[in-house]
C-alpha cells in the first residue's frame, strides 16, 4: 500500500513538473508571437490578395508611391498617385479614419527606409498599412490589369557609360547633369556638378532646367532615366543622354577602378 | 475664344464635304500634318486602315468635337502570341514600354527583310549601350556577317527578355544560370564549333571544375558562371588588353570573388582538360597516375573478392562445410575495445557524410545529385557538412597516429620498436602477409589450404594502411580546395587543378573500395554473410576465433592471455544496435554504390 502511494506521489510530481514546463513554454512562445505582431509595422500583401480585395469590394485606399509621372504612365486601376516623398500631401488626400486600410506600391518592393511615406502614414496613426509584394512588377507578372491615364511615349534616348562622362562633358557646349533621385539620396552622394530634380517633382519643376543645356539624366540604377528623359524630350529639351547603370553603375565603376579592374 | 474656334472647326469639317463637294471627312483631313500618310500606306499596317487599330474611337462627330480621344491601341488583338510572351518581358514589367516605343515610327513600320536577329540588334542599340558588345568577339562576327554570331536576341530573347532583380541573390543566381546556359548552348554545339574553329572542350573543362559542377547540379548561387569571368558583353580573347581574362586583368577578375589570394592563383585553369598533355603536362600526369592507381587497386581486389566468393561458396554449398557461429556463445572473446568501436562508429558517420555530400558534386548530372543536395539544404550547406565530417576524420586520423606512436614506443621505450612494428599485433604489413596473399590465391584455385591468420589479416592491414595514404592525399587536396586562395600564397594555381582531380578520384577509390571490397571481406563473404557484428559489439565466439585467426588463438593460449580476453556475450541492446547500425550502413553503402555506378555509366 505504502509502495503504491509512493508511486502515485512520484507520478503526480512528474505530471506537475510537465505541466509547469508546458505552462512556461506556452507563455514564452505566446510572448514571442505577441512581440512580433505587436511591432505594428506594415504587412505585405500578395498581388492575388489585392486582386480579390478589388473584386469583392473590400474597402481600402490604393496608393501608387512612384513619382507622379510614373504613376500616370502605368498604375493599378483606382490608384491614388502619392509619391514616397509627398508625405504632407497625404493629409489632404486620405480619409481621416485611421482604421482605413492603405495599400502602397511602387515598381518593386517597398521598404520603410526607401519610402518616407510609409513612416509618415504610421506617424499619422494609420494602423493598417499594406505593401504590395514585388510591387507593380509582380502585379503585372501575375497577369492583372494596369491602366495608363497619361502615358509618356518613350523616346529612344541613348545612354552613355560612366567612364565616358568626362568625354561627354567636354564634347557639349553646356553640360548639365540632372540627378532625378530623391534629395536624400542626392545629398548622400552625387556626381560632381550634378543638380537635383527628383523625379517625384519633375513635372512641376522641369521649367527650372535651362533649355539650352545638354542634359545627362542620372538615376539610381538606370531604370527610371528613360521615362524622365522621354518626358523632358516631349517638353522641348533637345540634347539628352542617360547614364547607363545610373549611380549603381558609377559605384561599381569606382570599385573596379580601385581594385585595378578596368 | 478656343471654344468658338473649335466649334467653327467642327462645323466646317462636317459641312465641308457638302459645301465644297469634296470627299467625306477622313483621318487624313485632320492628321495629315502630323502623320505621313504616304509612309503609312506603304507600311506593314498600311492596308488595314486607322480604325482597325484605333477601334475604340466612337462616332466621328464626337471625335471631332474633342470628346472622344483616341485611346490606347491594343496590338495584342492581332499579335496575340507576341503579346503573351511580352507580358513577362522586362521591358513591359519594369519599364512599361509599349509596342510603339521600340517599333518607331509605329505608323511607318516596314516588314523585316532578312535575319530578324540582325534587324532587332539595331533596335536594341537605340537605347542600350552597345559599345562593348560591338567591340567584342561576338559583335565583330555579327558585323562580319557570320550567321552563327549571337546578336542581342540570341542571348536575351525577343519579346520575352527575362527580368532579374539584381538586388536579390536569388535573381542574380537565376540570371547567372540562364545566361550560362545560353553560352553553353552555342559553345557546346559541335557544328557551330567546327564552323567557327573553337573547341567544345572549353565547356567540358568548365564542367570539370567546382564552378561547373555546382552550376550543373542547379545551384548557381555561389559559383562563377561564364559572365562572371568573361563579363556580359565585353567578351574578348585573353590576348586583348581590355579583356577581363587578359593576364593583366585576371587577378582583379578572380579577386572579385576570391578576396584572399596571391597572384599565383591566376595560374588556375578554369577549363582544364586532363587528357591534353599539351595544355598541362602535370595535370595529364596526375590523371594518368590516378587512373593506374584506381584500375590497379580495383583489378586486384575485385579479382580477389570474386575468387574468394567462388571458393567460399564452393565450400559452403558443394562441400557442405559448416562455419563457426560468431555470436551464439555466452562467453566470447574481446576483439575490439570500446575505444576502437567508438572510433569505427565515428569513422562510419564521417565517411557516409563525406560521400553523401561530396558525390552529388562529383556527379552533378545524376538524377540523384540534386535531391541529395536539396536534402542537405543546398551545396553550401552540403559543403559545411562535408568540411565538418572531414575535420572529424582528421581528428580520428591524428588520434590513430598518436595510438600508433604509443604502440611502437610504449612509455617512450624505443627498444624493440621494429619488432613491434612487424609483430603479430601490428597493423603494419610484414613478410608473412605477402606469403598469405600467395597462400590465399593457391586456396582460391584448390592448390592448398587457406593460410592461417594471426590477429590481423593482410586485407585488414591494407584497409588500415590505405587510410594513411588516403588521408594524406584526400585530406591535403581537400584543404587546398577548401582554401584555394590561401594555398596560392605557397603554390601556383594549377596545383588546385591537380588537387581537384586527385581529391575526386581518390574519393571514388575510397568509396567504392569500402562499399565493395571492405564490405565483401568483412560482411558479404559467404562465411560471414550478411553482417559481421564484432566491430560494433566488440566480441565474437571462441569458435570463430579459432576458425578465422588460429595463430592468434594459439599464441594467446601459449602466452596465457586467452582467459583475460574472455568476456560475457554482449547484451541485447548492444546486439540490436550493432545489427541495425551495421545493416543500415551496409545497405546505404550498397545503394550509394549503385548510385555511383549508375551516374558513371549514364
Amino acid at each position: 500500500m505504502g509502495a503504491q502511494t509512493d508511486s502515485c506521489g512520484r507520478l503526480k510530481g512528474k505530471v506537475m513538473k510537465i505541466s509547469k514546463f508546458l505552462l512556461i513554454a506556452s507563455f514564452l512562445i505566446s510572448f514571442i508571437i505577441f512581440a512580433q505582431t505587436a511591432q505594428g509595422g506594415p504587412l505585405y500583401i500578395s498581388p492575388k490578395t489585392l486582386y480579390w480585395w478589388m473584386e469583392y469590394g473590400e474597402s481600402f485606399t490604393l496608393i501608387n508611391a512612384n513619382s507622379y509621372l510614373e504613376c500616370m504612365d502605368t498604375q493599378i486601376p483606382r490608384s491614388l498617385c502619392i509619391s514616397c516623398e509627398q508625405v504632407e500631401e497625404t493629409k489632404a488626400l486620405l480619409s481621416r479614419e485611421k482604421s482605413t486600410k492603405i495599400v502602397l506600391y511602387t515598381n518593386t518592393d517597398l521598404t520603410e527606409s526607401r519610402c518616407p511615406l510609409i513612416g509618415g502614414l504610421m506617424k499619422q496613426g494609420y494602423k493598417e498599412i499594406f505593401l504590395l509584394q514585388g510591387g507593380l512588377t509582380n502585379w503585372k507578372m501575375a497577369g492583372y490589369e494596369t491602366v495608363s491615364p497619361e502615358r509618356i511615349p518613350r523616346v529612344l534616348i541613348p545612354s552613355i557609360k560612366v567612364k565616358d562622362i568626362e568625354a561627354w562633358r567636354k564634347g557639349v557646349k553646356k553640360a548639365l547633369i540632372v540627378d532625378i533621385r530623391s534629395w536624400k539620396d542626392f545629398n548622400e552622394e552625387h556626381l560632381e556638378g550634378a543638380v537635383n530634380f527628383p523625379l517625384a517633382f519633375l513635372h512641376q519643376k522641369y521649367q527650372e532646367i535651362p533649355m539650352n543645356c545638354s542634359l545627362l539624366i542620372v538615376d539610381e540604377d538606370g531604370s527610371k532615366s528613360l521615362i524622365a528623359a522621354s518626358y523632358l524630350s516631349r517638353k522641348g529639351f533637345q540634347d539628352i543622354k542617360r547614364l547607363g547603370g545610373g549611380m549603381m553603375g558609377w559605384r561599381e565603376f569606382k570599385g573596379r577602378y580601385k581594385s585595378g579592374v578596368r | 475664344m478656343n471654344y468658338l474656334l473649335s466649334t467653327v472647326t467642327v462645323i466646317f469639317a462636317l459641312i465641308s464635304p457638302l459645301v465644297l463637294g469634296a470627299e467625306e471627312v477622313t483621318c487624313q483631313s485632320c492628321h495629315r500634318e502630323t502623320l505621313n500618310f504616304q509612309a503609312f500606306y506603304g507600311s506593314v499596317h498600311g492596308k488595314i486602315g486607322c480604325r482597325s487599330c484605333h477601334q475604340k474611337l466612337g462616332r466621328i462627330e464626337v471625335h471631332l468635337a474633342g470628346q472622344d480621344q483616341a485611346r490606347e491601341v491594343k496590338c495584342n488583338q492581332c499579335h496575340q502570341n507576341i503579346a503573351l510572351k511580352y507580358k513577362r518581358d522586362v521591358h513591359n514589367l519594369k519599364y512599361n514600354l509599349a509596342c510603339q516605343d521600340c517599333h518607331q515610327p509605329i505608323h511607318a513600320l516596314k516588314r523585316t527583310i532578312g535575319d530578324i536577329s540582325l534587324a532587332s540588334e539595331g533596335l536594341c542599340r537605340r537605347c542600350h549601350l552597345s559599345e562593348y558588345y560591338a567591340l567584342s568577339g561576338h559583335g565583330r562576327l555579327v558585323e562580319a556577317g557570320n550567321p552563327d554570331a549571337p546578336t542581342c536576341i540570341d542571348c536575351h530573347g525577343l519579346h520575352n527578355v527575362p527580368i532579374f532583380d539584381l538586388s536579390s541573390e536569388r535573381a542574380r543566381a537565376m540570371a547567372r544560370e540562364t545566361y550560362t546556359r545560353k553560352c553553353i548552348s552555342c559553345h557546346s554545339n559541335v557544328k557551330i564549333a567546327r564552323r567557327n574553329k573553337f573547341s567544345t572542350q572549353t565547356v567540358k573543362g568548365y564542367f570539370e571544375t567546382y564552378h561547373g559542377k555546382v552550376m550543373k547540379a542547379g545551384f548557381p548561387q555561389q559559383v562563377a558562371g561564364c559572365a562572371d569571368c568573361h563579363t556580359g558583353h565585353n567578351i574578348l580573347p585573353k590576348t586583348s588588353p581590355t579583356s577581363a581574362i587578359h593576364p593583366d586583368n585576371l587577378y582583379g577578375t578572380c579577386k572579385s570573388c576570391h578576396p584572399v589570394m596571391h597572384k599565383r592563383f591566376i595560374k588556375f585553369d578554369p577549363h582544364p582538360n586532363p587528357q591534353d598533355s599539351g595544355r598541362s603536362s602535370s595535370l595529364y600526369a596526375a590523371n594518368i597516375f590516378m587512373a593506374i592507381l584506381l584500375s590497379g587497386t580495383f583489378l586486384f581486389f575485385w579479382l580477389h573478392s570474386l575468387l574468394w566468393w567462388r571458393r567460399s561458396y564452393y565450400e559452403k554449398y558443394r562441400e557442405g562445410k559448416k562455419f563457426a557461429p560468431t555470436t551464439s556463445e555466452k562467453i566470447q572473446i574481446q576483439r575490439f575495445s570500446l575505444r576502437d568501436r567508438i572510433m569505427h562508429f565515428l569513422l562510419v558517420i564521417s565517411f557516409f557524410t563525406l560521400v553523401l555530400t561530396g558525390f552529388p558534386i562529383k556527379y552533378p548530372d545524376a538524377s540523384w545529385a540534386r535531391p541529395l543536395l536539396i536534402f542537405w539544404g543546398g551545396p553550401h550547406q552540403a559543403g559545411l557538412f562535408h568540411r565538418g565530417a572531414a575535420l572529424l576524420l582528421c581528428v580520428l586520423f591524428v588520434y590513430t597516429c598518436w595510438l600508433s606512436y604509443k604502440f611502437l614506443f610504449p612509455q617512450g621505450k624505443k627498444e624493440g620498436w621494429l619488432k613491434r612494428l612487424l609483430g603479430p599485433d601490428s597493423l603494419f604489413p610484414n613478410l608473412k602477409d605477402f606469403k598469405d596473399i600467395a597462400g590465399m590465391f593457391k586456396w582460391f584455385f584448390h592448390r592448398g589450404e587457406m593460410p592461417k591468420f594471426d590477429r590481423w589479416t593482410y586485407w585488414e592491414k591494407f584497409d588500415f594502411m590505405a587510410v594513411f595514404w588516403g588521408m594524406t592525399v584526400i585530406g591535403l587536396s581537400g584543404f587546398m580546395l577548401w582554401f584555394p586562395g590561401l594555398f596560392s600564397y605557397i603554390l601556383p594555381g594549377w596545383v588546385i587543378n591537380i588537387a581537384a582531380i586527385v581529391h575526386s578520384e581518390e574519393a571514388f577509390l575510397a568509396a567504392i573500395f569500402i562499399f565493395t571490397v571492405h564490405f565483401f571481406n568483412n560482411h558479404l563473404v559467404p562465411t560471414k554473410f550478411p553482417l559481421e557484428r564484432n566491430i560494433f559489439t566488440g566480441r565474437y565466439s571462441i569458435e570463430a576465433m579459432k576458425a578465422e585467426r588460429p595463430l592468434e588463438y594459439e599464441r594467446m593460449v601459449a602466452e596465457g592471455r586467452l582467459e583475460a580476453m574472455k568476456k560475457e556475450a554482449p547484451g541485447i541492446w548492444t546486439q540490436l544496435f550493432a545489427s541495425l547500425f551495421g545493416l543500415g550502413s551496409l545497405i546505404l553503402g550498397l545503394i550509394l554504390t549503385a548510385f555511383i555506378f549508375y551516374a558513371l555509366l549514364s
Side-chain angles (χ1 to χ4, degrees):
Chain A
M1 189 67 189
Q4 264 188 351
T5 321
D6 267 4
S7 64
C8 272
R10 254 184 266 136
L11 192 69
K12 261 187 186 176
K14 270 186 185 174
V15 170
M16 285 301 286
K17 261 187 187 174
I18 292 167
S19 315
K20 269 183 197 172
F21 172 78
L22 287 175
L23 197 72
I24 294 166
S26 56
F27 174 75
L28 283 172
I29 290 166
S30 55
F31 178 77
I32 292 164
I33 293 168
F34 175 76
Q36 281 189 339
T37 51
Q39 283 175 351
L43 299 170
Y44 279 95
I45 179 175
S46 70
K48 196 175 179 180
T49 311
L50 179 61
Y51 174 76
W52 285 112
W53 280 13
M54 292 167 94
E55 280 291 292
Y56 288 99
E58 179 83 28
S59 169
F60 65 95
T61 304
L62 186 59
I63 297 177
N64 182 322
N66 278 322
S67 65
Y68 178 77
L69 293 177
E70 289 170 290
C71 178
M72 295 304 280
D73 189 70
T74 183
Q75 58 174 248
I76 298 170
R78 303 199 298 270
S79 296
L80 287 176
C81 294
I82 306 173
S83 76
C84 276
E85 286 82 5
Q86 291 177 297
V87 180
E88 289 306 312
E89 278 81 342
T90 52
K91 286 176 185 165
L93 292 169
L94 295 179
S95 154
R96 290 189 181 174
E97 184 55 57
K98 302 300 180 191
S99 59
T100 310
K101 281 181 187 162
I102 297 174
V103 181
L104 290 155
Y105 70 92
T106 54
N107 283 346
T108 53
D109 267 328
L110 264 174
T111 55
E112 278 182 71
S113 60
R114 273 167 49 194
C115 185
L117 182 62
I118 301 170
L121 289 170
M122 282 161 68
K123 261 187 193 167
Q124 286 172 37
Y126 289 99
K127 284 169 190 154
E128 295 207 59
I129 301 171
F130 297 87
L131 308 177
L132 182 63
Q133 257 171 3
L136 194 56
T137 305
N138 238 11
W139 174 265
K140 281 183 181 178
M141 272 183 104
Y144 300 128
E145 187 194 358
T146 56
V147 290
S148 299
E150 259 180 57
R151 193 170 185 281
I152 299 167
R154 305 298 195 273
V155 181
L156 301 180
I157 292 167
S159 50
I160 64 165
K161 277 202 174 293
V162 178
K163 70 175 181 65
D164 297 330
I165 295 176
E166 281 315 306
W168 168 79
R169 249 195 251 259
K170 285 174 190 164
V172 295
K173 274 187 186 171
K174 276 181 123 182
L176 184 67
I177 298 175
V178 178
D179 192 323
I180 58 165
R181 295 174 304 146
S182 69
W183 65 267
K184 185 174 163 253
D185 291 343
F186 180 81
N187 283 345
E188 274 176 16
E189 183 185 42
H190 59 258
L191 295 179
E192 194 188 335
V195 290
N196 187 214
F197 282 89
L199 187 58
F201 306 105
L202 192 65
H203 63 290
Q204 294 165 340
K205 298 201 170 180
Y206 72 90
Q207 291 100 333
E208 294 172 22
I209 303 172
M211 290 290 282
N212 57 348
C213 283
S214 296
L215 306 181
L216 176 66
I217 312 294
V218 178
D219 64 355
E220 180 55 28
D221 59 0
S223 65
K224 290 178 186 273
S225 56
L226 182 64
I227 194 168
S230 298
Y231 180 76
L232 291 174
S233 171
R234 285 179 72 82
K235 293 296 174 191
F237 290 88
Q238 297 290 324
D239 186 12
I240 310 175
K241 292 273 188 297
R242 301 181 296 123
L243 182 65
M247 288 302 285
M248 260 170 69
W250 180 72
R251 277 179 225 121
E252 192 189 331
F253 176 77
K254 262 198 339 182
R256 287 171 77 86
Y257 192 86
K258 271 182 192 167
S259 67
V261 184
R262 310 288 161 87
Chain B
M1 185 62 192
N2 281 346
Y3 175 75
L4 190 66
L5 199 67
S6 61
T7 313
V8 169
T9 311
V10 172
I11 292 168
F12 177 74
L14 288 172
I15 64 167
S16 58
L18 305 171
V19 176
L20 303 172
E23 295 166 19
E24 61 177 308
V25 179
T26 62
C27 301
Q28 274 197 62
S29 313
C30 298
H31 294 287
R32 70 161 65 93
E33 281 178 19
T34 52
L35 207 66
N36 182 347
F37 275 85
Q38 282 307 314
F40 173 67
Y41 290 135
S43 77
V44 70
H45 295 127
K47 287 181 183 166
I48 57 174
C50 305
R51 276 179 179 269
S52 303
C53 294
H54 299 282
Q55 286 174 345
K56 291 199 175 172
L57 214 56
R59 287 189 301 130
I60 191 79
E61 298 83 2
V62 184
H63 178 60
L64 286 169
Q67 291 164 2
D68 185 12
Q69 297 291 320
R71 271 169 271 178
E72 201 180 341
V73 171
K74 302 276 186 194
C75 303
N76 61 358
Q77 287 173 350
C78 293
H79 302 279
Q80 287 146 346
N81 289 341
I82 293 173
L84 208 63
K85 276 164 71 180
Y86 188 64
K87 269 188 174 182
R88 302 186 80 80
D89 187 294
V90 66
H91 296 102
N92 168 45
L93 294 170
K94 199 169 176 189
Y95 303 104
N96 197 35
L97 293 191
C99 306
Q100 65 272 22
D101 292 326
C102 290
H103 298 283
Q104 289 185 14
I106 191 71
H107 290 108
L109 284 184
K110 296 275 185 190
R111 187 174 291 281
T112 306
I113 298 164
D115 191 346
I116 196 162
S117 63
L118 281 174
S120 59
E121 195 209 337
L123 215 58
C124 302
R125 283 193 189 195
R126 289 191 201 170
C127 282
H128 294 281
L129 292 165
S130 56
E131 175 203 355
Y132 280 161
Y133 171 75
L135 294 173
S136 73
H138 292 157
R140 282 179 185 167
L141 285 173
V142 169
E143 207 123 292
N146 185 330
D148 289 329
T151 62
C152 307
I153 65 166
D154 291 314
C155 296
H156 298 283
L158 178 65
H159 297 125
N160 60 350
V161 181
I163 182 168
F164 300 111
D165 175 11
L166 297 182
S167 61
S168 96
E169 194 186 315
R170 189 165 163 264
R172 278 203 301 276
M174 279 170 67
R176 179 177 288 135
E177 190 176 17
T178 304
Y179 290 116
T180 300
R181 283 188 198 286
K182 291 277 181 190
C183 300
I184 285 164
S185 67
C186 287
H187 283 268
S188 61
N189 185 313
V190 178
K191 284 180 184 169
I192 293 178
R194 204 172 292 151
R195 279 200 296 269
N196 296 281
K197 293 175 186 155
F198 63 78
S199 168
T200 53
Q201 178 57 41
T202 310
V203 173
K204 285 181 194 157
Y206 168 71
F207 283 127
E208 285 300 315
T209 64
Y210 180 77
H211 294 155
K213 283 176 185 287
V214 175
M215 179 71 77
K216 210 177 212 180
F219 297 91
Q221 288 88 342
Q222 291 185 341
V223 288
C226 303
D228 290 292
C229 301
H230 297 275
T231 73
H233 296 101
N234 185 29
I235 305 162
L236 290 163
K238 62 182 170 190
T239 47
S240 170
T242 53
S243 165
I245 56 164
H246 184 271
D248 291 348
N249 301 331
L250 203 54
Y251 177 68
T253 304
C254 298
K255 206 173 170 61
S256 58
C257 293
H258 299 274
V260 180
M261 57 171 264
H262 188 268
K263 282 196 173 175
R264 288 192 198 95
F265 187 83
I266 64 169
K267 294 286 176 194
F268 170 75
D269 186 352
H271 305 275
N273 183 3
Q275 276 88 42
D276 185 355
S277 60
R279 190 177 176 99
S280 169
S281 53
S282 51
L283 190 65
Y284 179 76
N287 190 42
I288 295 280
F289 173 76
M290 290 310 293
I292 292 170
L293 179 72
L294 262 73
S295 49
T297 310
F298 285 128
L299 195 69
F300 177 80
F301 278 101
W302 282 348
L303 182 70
H304 181 273
S305 299
L306 189 73
L307 292 172
W308 188 359
W309 175 82
R310 193 208 69 84
R311 186 70 177 93
S312 303
Y313 188 85
Y314 186 86
E315 272 191 352
K316 191 172 182 179
Y317 296 104
R318 293 279 176 87
E319 297 175 355
K321 189 177 173 183
K322 296 278 180 219
F323 295 103
T326 56
T327 56
S328 59
E329 293 173 4
K330 281 188 179 173
I331 298 298
Q332 298 188 354
I333 296 295
Q334 182 81 38
R335 176 156 167 77
F336 296 108
S337 67
L338 183 64
R339 182 198 65 200
D340 297 339
R341 285 180 281 150
I342 290 174
M343 282 176 75
H344 186 265
F345 171 77
L346 293 175
L347 187 71
V348 172
I349 298 291
S350 155
F351 192 79
F352 274 118
T353 309
L354 286 166
V355 172
L356 286 165
T357 50
F359 274 75
I361 305 289
K362 181 168 166 65
Y363 297 113
D365 272 338
S367 50
W368 47 265
R370 195 174 153 76
L372 211 51
L373 286 173
I374 290 169
F375 167 78
W376 292 108
H380 179 66
Q381 279 80 352
L384 292 179
F385 280 104
H386 195 80
R387 288 160 179 82
L391 286 177
L392 175 61
L393 202 62
C394 288
V395 171
L396 288 173
F397 177 65
V398 171
Y399 186 57
T400 307
C401 290
W402 168 246
L403 291 178
S404 303
Y405 174 79
K406 295 258 284 179
F407 171 78
L408 286 179
F409 310 105
Q411 292 152 353
K413 202 168 76 179
K414 287 185 181 171
E415 298 83 46
W417 70 271
L418 192 64
K419 203 177 165 191
R420 281 190 288 278
L421 180 71
L422 301 173
D425 284 323
S426 168
L427 273 158
F428 194 79
N430 56 30
L431 192 61
K432 184 184 177 300
D433 294 310
F434 293 98
K435 285 179 184 165
D436 286 350
I437 293 173
M440 269 302 255
F441 272 88
K442 277 183 189 164
W443 176 66
F444 291 157
F445 294 105
H446 303 266
R447 299 276 170 92
E449 286 293 307
M450 190 184 193
K452 289 183 172 181
F453 296 106
D454 207 303
R455 180 161 171 73
W456 305 111
T457 61
Y458 64 83
W459 61 85
E460 286 163 344
K461 288 183 180 182
F462 185 87
D463 283 0
F464 181 77
M465 294 311 295
V467 171
F468 280 84
W469 155 258
M471 272 307 295
T472 312
V473 171
I474 213 166
L476 205 61
S477 58
F479 277 112
M480 280 185 200
L481 298 172
W482 188 353
F483 305 108
L486 275 181
F487 271 88
S488 67
Y489 283 90
I490 46 172
L491 294 166
W494 54 262
V495 180
I496 308 292
N497 291 112
I498 294 178
I501 202 165
V502 166
H503 193 76
S504 170
E505 297 305 307
E506 186 62 33
F508 179 86
L509 176 65
I512 297 300
F513 186 87
I514 295 291
F515 299 153
T516 56
V517 181
H518 175 80
F519 276 11
F520 175 81
N521 292 350
N522 296 288
H523 307 291
L524 303 178
V525 64
T527 52
K528 294 175 182 178
F529 186 84
L531 182 70
E532 168 63 271
R533 294 184 301 179
N534 67 30
I535 188 62
F536 304 112
T537 61
R539 292 159 205 183
Y540 67 154
S541 69
I542 299 170
E543 289 308 309
M545 186 190 189
K546 281 182 194 167
E548 289 172 22
R549 300 163 211 282
L551 292 185
E552 188 194 9
Y553 177 77
E554 287 161 17
R555 193 160 56 87
M556 291 299 111
V557 172
E559 291 173 12
R561 288 161 59 191
L562 192 69
E563 286 308 308
M565 290 172 81
K566 285 182 180 173
K567 304 278 174 195
E568 267 187 33
I572 183 74
W573 291 111
T574 311
Q575 288 192 42
L576 190 67
F577 166 77
S579 300
L580 289 178
F581 184 77
L583 220 54
S585 303
L586 201 68
I587 291 167
L588 181 61
L590 293 176
I591 290 171
L592 286 172
T593 309
F595 276 11
I596 292 168
F597 278 106
Y598 171 72
L600 201 65
L601 297 172
S602 61

